[in-house]
Amino acid sequence: MSAEYPRDGEANDRPFTTQTLEEALAASDDLETVVDVDEPTQQLVLFRLNDQQFALPGSAVSEILPSDQPVYYVPGLPTSTEGVLHLRGKIESVVSLHQLLGLPKQEGTPQGMILLVRAAGMTSGVRIEQLDDVCEVAQSMLQAPPETLHPALRPYVSALWQIDERHALALLDPEALFDAYQQGLG
């Protein structure tokens, strides 16, 4: 039994399962949607601080804690430390990135989820205002931060992800953030 192949223009009339790869690609209007499956990707946790989008590498975020997670104030802690939380028998600090990143601090009681982040030899909670997404991004989509990046952000941004013509997202370097935190910066 021999297979009969359609002539030009007939590929769209046949069921998808009987088309060859070349026929299916030729019938597709948008060839740019083909993705190289061997391209390395990076998992990102997308979030907001002061209505600005940021991301942390998914490999550094071990857990996403709900907004109702109790955080306890401890007198004498630096202003960049919101307090501590008790999680499965361990006490972890909760860090606010606002001062370190040059963002205005939230007024009132901090709201939002907490990302449990491991970097620079420590584990700490990082308060975020809103969790946007957890996604995989092709490494080729991440660009080096430009020289025009705000000076307060420059030491802590490892890459930019240009989402569209008007929106870019800063990928934060958790090692640099926690190193600065341990040195008392921010």
Side-chain angles (χ1 to χ4, degrees), residues 101-112:
L101 299 176
L103 302 171
K105 190 154 172 113
Q106 284 181 309
E107 295 296 323
T109 305
Q111 300 293 319

Side-chain angles (χ1 to χ4, degrees), residues 31-51:
L31 294 179
E32 293 180 82
T33 59
V34 177
V35 176
D36 181 4
V37 293
D38 293 331
E39 184 173 6
T41 61
Q42 182 170 356
Q43 185 181 51
L44 300 180
V45 178
L46 312 179
F47 62 93
R48 291 182 191 269
L49 289 174
N50 282 37
D51 291 324

